Each structure stands twice: as structure tokens, then as C-alpha cells.
Amino acid sequence: MNSEEARQAVLDAAEELYYAKGYAAVGMDELRSAAGVSLKRLYTLFPSKDDIIRAVLERKHEEWERMVAGGVADAGEDVRARLLAVYRVLERWFGADDFRGCAFMNAFGELGGTSPEIARIVREHKASFQEYMARLVTEAGAPASLAAQLSILAEGAQSTAAISADPAAAAQARAAAEVLIDAATGNLVASPAPA
């Protein structure tokens, strides 16, 4: 196994173990064993556990961006559908057998108070998502404030789905997003008058 293959094996094992068990619960020896590399090689590739966590979070960030952008692209050109596509992506993700919540929130919950660097990485990831939502909102011609509202709905859905183990949080967030989008863009449907 060359250095790049070993590096990928370590990151694959780390991503799986950290997501399933938590960052603090996985030691270097367990990680070495799961990756199939020697402890010496592991430390040559990654001098510290923080280096591995950073690299895992970088991969997770790229994966998240691809997943969201792919879902939005699949929605076509309709700007409303593109905004709502984010919640369809969440629905698929929440339904996965191995869903354990947001890896970034998990990292922040475990390490954010003791590792300023991990806290920074998590904040940058979350800011990047809000910036992406802001671009979608701009494309839709909606007020800028809608981006933060839709982002908060998505973030809340992630936390709720992880804690409740109920993927319905995505559909609930999507329904709330529809109301916000329609209100922001003037597409409110008139309710029938009471009889």
C-alpha cells in the first residue's frame, strides 16, 4: 500500500469510526487496526489525532457540498424547486441506515469547547452552507433574510432527525420552508373563506 492508499485507508476508517462512535471514543490503536496500517505509518501520515479529524472534516465538507449541489442541480431551473431541493437531500440522508446527525455538529459538541481549530472548521462549514443558500435565494429574487431562515430550518432538521431518529424532520422542515419561500416571494395561496 503506497502512501496515498494508506492515507485514504486511514481517512476511510476514521470517517466511519468517528461517525459511528464519536471522535473522542476512537483511539489511534483502533483506528490503526481498522485502517490496516502500522501505528508508525499512521503517525507518519498524520502526526496527531487532530490532523486526522481535520482531514476527515475536509472530506465531509466536500461530500456535503457535492450532495447539496447535486440535489439542487437535479431540481432543474425552477428557483423555488431549487430552494426546496435542499430538504429533499436531507430527507434522503436522514433515511440512511447509518445516519447519526451532522458530523460537524458532532465534532463541535465533542471538541468545540477544547479545540479552537475544530470550532473554526465547523463554523466555516456552516457559514459556507449559509453562503450557498444566500446564492440560491438571490437567484430566486427573494429577500436576503430568507437565506438565514432556510439555513436554520435545515440545521434544525439535522439536529432533530439525529436526536429523534425520525427522517420526517426533513419533510417538516420542507413544509416550513415552503411557507417562508411563498411569504418572501409573494406566492401565498389564499385560504378559502370560512363557510
Side-chain angles (χ1 to χ4, degrees), residues 80-103:
R80 185 175 188 276
R82 290 169 62 81
L83 286 168
L84 292 171
V86 170
Y87 303 94
R88 296 260 188 238
V89 168
L90 294 179
E91 195 167 16
R92 285 191 300 272
W93 180 36
F94 297 172
D97 290 338
D98 66 345
F99 176 72
R100 303 278 182 279
C102 172

Side-chain angles (χ1 to χ4, degrees), residues 25 54 103:
R54 275 192 301 277

Side-chain angles (χ1 to χ4, degrees), residues 80 84 87-88 150 153 173-183:
R80 185 175 188 276
L84 292 171
Y87 303 94
R88 296 260 188 238
L150 296 178
L153 275 176
R174 184 180 193 277
E178 288 176 332
V179 172
L180 287 171
I181 292 165
D182 290 344

Side-chain angles (χ1 to χ4, degrees), residues 73-159:
D74 289 346
E77 297 302 316
D78 180 270
V79 291
R80 185 175 188 276
R82 290 169 62 81
L83 286 168
L84 292 171
V86 170
Y87 303 94
R88 296 260 188 238
V89 168
L90 294 179
E91 195 167 16
R92 285 191 300 272
W93 180 36
F94 297 172
D97 290 338
D98 66 345
F99 176 72
R100 303 278 182 279
C102 172
F104 291 87
M105 289 306 298
N106 296 345
F108 189 82
E110 284 189 58
L111 308 170
T114 58
S115 173
E117 185 173 5
I118 298 301
R120 176 190 59 76
I121 290 168
V122 172
R123 286 185 183 109
E124 287 176 359
H125 169 75
K126 297 301 181 182
S128 174
F129 177 61
Q130 286 203 5
E131 290 164 9
Y132 182 78
M133 292 303 291
R135 288 192 300 275
L136 293 178
V137 164
T138 298
E139 290 172 12
S145 59
L146 181 61
Q149 295 165 350
L150 296 178
S151 298
I152 289 168
L153 275 176
E155 297 293 352
Q158 291 174 55
S159 297

Side-chain angles (χ1 to χ4, degrees), residues 14-67:
E15 186 174 330
E16 184 177 328
L17 288 169
Y18 292 159
Y19 195 59
K21 296 181 172 187
Y23 297 88
V26 178
M28 296 297 263
D29 195 52
E30 181 179 10
L31 182 53
R32 171 206 61 78
S33 179
V37 299
S38 70
L39 203 54
K40 180 179 178 181
R41 186 133 195 221
L42 177 60
Y43 279 110
T44 299
L45 295 166
F46 298 98
S48 73
K49 186 174 180 179
D50 280 353
D51 292 325
I52 299 170
I53 294 171
R54 275 192 301 277
V56 165
L57 291 176
E58 286 171 12
R59 280 177 38 152
K60 293 301 285 180
H61 176 74
E62 292 167 4
E63 177 186 338
W64 167 256
E65 287 192 330
R66 280 191 309 274
M67 186 170 68

